[in-house]
Amino acid sequence: MVADIAIHDAFVLTVDDRNRLYERGTVLVEDGRITEVRSSRDDDADIAAERVIDGEGKLVMPGLVNAHTHLELTPLLGAFSDLDLLEMMGSMTAIYGQIADGEFDYLTEAGYELAALNFLAGGVTTVNSQDVRPSAGAKTFGEAGLRGFFGPALSDLFWDVPVDEQFTRAREFIDEYHNAYDGRIRATINPHDDWSCTRELWERTADLAAEYPDLLVHTHLLELEESNTMARSNGANDSLDLLDDVGLLDDRLVAAHFRLADDEDIQRTAEADASVAHCPSIFSYWNTGSDVQWTPVPELRAAGVDVGLGIDDHYWHDSYNMFGEARQARLAANLERSAGQYHSMELVRMLTIEGAKALGVGDEIGSLEPGKRADIILLNVDKPKFTPLTNIPAQVANNATSADVEMVIVDGDVLMEGGEAKTMDGDTIRKRAESAVERFASETDWELGIGGSEPPNSVNIARDVPKRGPAQLLGRLAFQSARDRFPF
């Protein structure tokens, strides 16, 4: 039997159920799947394969899984970095409202291309993205050879797009893109969050989920103090109770953030076999006070909940580095509690197999095992920064960066090698993104330059902040907060 790809004499971190690590290992790939993972033999350099890769000085491991992200505004990297929280949220809300109305397509299309290029270069082979108008993302990632979960956000309080229109768009997206590009692109159902959706929207979401029983339901859950407040305004005891009421607390649920979960929430989530995406960098960057609460990941994992890592809005904290999320998860947890919250291998698993399990594809990707899809990355560890090469899981979780990724393989196809994307024109993508930002700045009076950014004070960007949405949302939350404090 002739293999398509043979990688020999490499360090191989399998992330299988035994966390096997080979000091001198071989991985064989045929027809897009891994066929063998074993110790190297002396004659493996002469193995019969279409492509033989000498793995000396390389670390072979599964591709990274970005379990929760947003991609449309990628070209605005650096635009939000030095704003205060209210400025950032106000600017973001205005932009998203206009995207929902069909404006700034040139910016979002360039954003998907730039995101795909950068995540590919950094070893991210799978993303789970919730956006406003995700069709361009599905096409871009599909054509690039990457794996992705995409779906349009749904909310009846966050923006003014009629709810009927939102659900029509969602159905059209599902019908066109679910299982597209040889099954690498899958559709998801995306109620935006538990603080800007009414019971009526959750009920319609449950109806949609019943129509498409093989789709994930991806949402922001227990992210803000207002989360349970909104649930109570919708006649439930708390957020999980509301989702349980409508039939969405089950094994299809992927809950991003989950910061405010208590012991009962953790137990109910484990019993439902739902999953969580932990995004530590975004909350480290936009910490709203000294009492910030971190997602109780150790307790979730101890209860049997699959927890993946996500980079969330990478343009809010200026990083595409998924390896950095593992390090930040460790530092944030140790700072809040005490040292030793994670073993390094736990963080590696959250970057790979647990992220895959959270997205319901742990039997397909996330580890290097015979029969799984060949989503593989090679890191160059023959560098001073990795010398001496001891404790490889710790090196991955603490020391590795996107720049260390030398090769990316998805479904057995080499998509990136030697820092050069094979399925995307990097120069063209960069020029298109630069042009899109120039046009955006011109149309909105947003100052974007090499020294920083300044959002406009004029009406151009703020003119379409959804008036019904936030006003209705804030009013509902204020009313419920008053009822909680002063029952009547």
Side-chain angles (χ1 to χ4, degrees):
M1 181 177 65
V2 178
D4 295 326
I5 297 175
I7 309 169
H8 67 89
D9 292 294
F11 299 99
V12 179
L13 184 57
T14 64
V15 203
D16 64 6
D17 57 357
R18 293 162 55 191
N19 292 326
R20 284 180 291 184
L21 174 60
Y22 294 92
E23 186 172 3
R24 182 169 170 257
T26 291
V27 179
L28 303 183
V29 175
E30 184 177 2
D31 293 332
R33 293 189 180 273
I34 298 168
T35 57
E36 284 189 63
V37 182
R38 56 171 173 77
S39 295
S40 294
R41 301 164 186 159
D42 290 342
D43 59 352
D44 276 355
D46 300 318
I47 202 166
E50 294 185 13
R51 177 77 188 271
V52 178
I53 300 169
D54 184 352
E56 185 175 359
K58 307 296 187 293
L59 170 63
V60 180
M61 63 178 289
L64 308 184
V65 177
N66 183 356
H68 173 72
T69 194
H70 307 280
L71 303 176
E72 286 172 308
L73 294 184
T74 296
L76 297 185
L77 197 80
F80 302 100
S81 314
D82 296 312
L83 304 182
D84 65 35
L85 182 62
L86 289 179
E87 283 182 309
M88 186 274 287
M89 292 298 293
S91 301
M92 176 276 297
T93 302
I95 295 171
Y96 276 132
Q98 291 175 268
I99 291 174
D101 290 337
E103 300 182 43
F104 301 141
D105 281 352
Y106 65 89
L107 184 73
T108 59
E109 290 168 5
Y112 282 122
E113 292 179 337
L114 192 60
L117 179 66
N118 279 288
F119 283 127
L120 169 59
V124 177
T125 55
T126 300
V127 301
N128 178 33
S129 185
Q130 180 186 119
D131 291 308
V132 182
R133 301 169 71 90
S135 296
K139 292 177 184 176
T140 297
F141 276 70
E143 291 172 1
L146 291 163
R147 203 177 299 280
F149 293 76
F150 292 90
L154 303 166
S155 173
D156 50 356
L157 295 178
F158 193 69
W159 43 58
D160 287 331
V161 178
V163 172
D164 286 346
E165 182 179 335
Q166 292 183 49
F167 278 86
T168 296
R169 290 180 184 178
R171 286 187 175 86
E172 291 174 347
F173 181 86
I174 293 167
D175 293 340
E176 183 170 0
Y177 290 107
H178 186 53
N179 279 328
Y181 296 95
D182 298 323
R184 287 182 288 101
I185 301 301
R186 304 188 188 189
T188 54
I189 298 170
N190 293 263
H192 188 266
D193 56 66
D194 55 358
W195 48 267
S196 75
C197 298
T198 65
R199 176 181 283 270
E200 290 76 15
L201 188 127
W202 285 109
E203 289 172 344
R204 290 192 63 167
T205 298
D207 291 340
L208 183 63
E211 291 179 41
Y212 299 94
D214 58 335
L215 268 62
L216 297 175
V217 176
H218 175 206
T219 189
H220 303 83
L221 198 65
L222 293 175
E223 175 185 9
L224 305 176
E225 293 288 350
E226 291 79 7
S227 296
N228 285 326
T229 300
M230 176 58 82
R232 289 190 290 273
S233 77
N234 279 309
N237 292 326
D238 55 31
S239 287
L240 290 186
D241 186 49
L242 177 57
L243 266 65
D244 200 12
D245 280 353
V246 301
L248 290 174
L249 184 59
D250 57 23
D251 60 354
R252 297 164 59 188
L253 180 66
V254 181
H257 306 318
F258 219 62
R259 289 192 311 121
L260 304 180
D262 58 24
D263 290 343
E264 183 180 350
D265 295 328
I266 293 168
Q267 187 59 39
R268 293 178 69 186
T269 302
E271 291 172 355
D273 202 21
S275 303
V276 169
H278 177 39
C279 306
S281 287
I282 195 78
F283 287 102
S284 296
Y285 200 101
W286 295 102
N287 184 354
T288 57
S290 59
D291 59 346
V292 65
Q293 181 173 330
W294 292 99
T295 303
V297 175
E299 289 81 1
L300 284 162
R301 296 183 74 254
V305 177
D306 292 318
V307 181
L309 290 173
I311 208 164
D312 205 13
D313 306 80
H314 52 279
Y315 40 82
W316 285 3
H317 56 94
D318 306 333
S319 174
Y320 296 97
N321 183 19
M322 271 301 298
F323 294 104
E325 294 303 314
R327 179 175 175 81
Q328 189 62 52
R330 165 176 270 153
L331 297 180
N334 287 358
L335 183 62
E336 183 192 33
R337 302 179 178 198
S338 64
Q341 294 302 311
Y342 300 106
H343 187 280
S344 296
M345 196 62 213
E346 293 181 90
L347 295 167
V348 174
R349 293 185 68 84
M350 289 164 64
L351 281 170
T352 54
I353 186 62
E354 288 193 22
K357 288 180 177 179
L359 301 181
V361 289
D363 58 340
E364 301 177 50
I365 62 170
S367 60
L368 304 185
E369 301 180 76
K372 285 199 169 183
R373 305 303 305 181
D375 289 11
I376 302 169
I377 62 176
L378 279 69
L379 277 64
N380 181 3
V381 292
D382 188 20
K383 296 180 175 181
K385 65 180 286 188
F386 292 115
T387 305
L389 190 58
T390 57
N391 196 347
I392 285 177
Q395 294 272 26
V396 171
N398 293 331
N399 195 15
T401 68
S402 300
D404 300 316
V405 178
E406 191 166 276
M407 180 178 288
V408 177
I409 301 169
V410 175
D411 258 359
D413 294 325
V414 177
L415 305 186
M416 193 274 284
E417 184 174 3
E420 180 182 350
K422 300 298 184 182
T423 55
M424 308 184 78
D425 186 339
D427 289 341
T428 299
I429 288 171
R430 291 177 62 192
K431 290 176 182 176
R432 189 174 293 134
E434 289 168 352
S435 177
V437 169
E438 289 177 3
R439 177 177 170 184
F440 175 82
S442 176
E443 291 180 355
T444 63
D445 293 330
W446 194 311
E447 295 181 14
L448 295 164
I450 61 173
S453 82
E454 183 69 33
N457 294 319
S458 67
V459 295
N460 289 354
I461 193 68
R463 61 187 169 89
D464 286 330
V465 176
K467 296 177 178 58
R468 180 187 65 85
Q472 187 172 343
L473 170 61
L474 293 173
R476 180 183 288 249
L477 293 174
F479 177 74
Q480 186 60 43
S481 294
R483 289 193 60 177
D484 290 346
R485 293 178 62 191
F486 308 106
F488 52 85

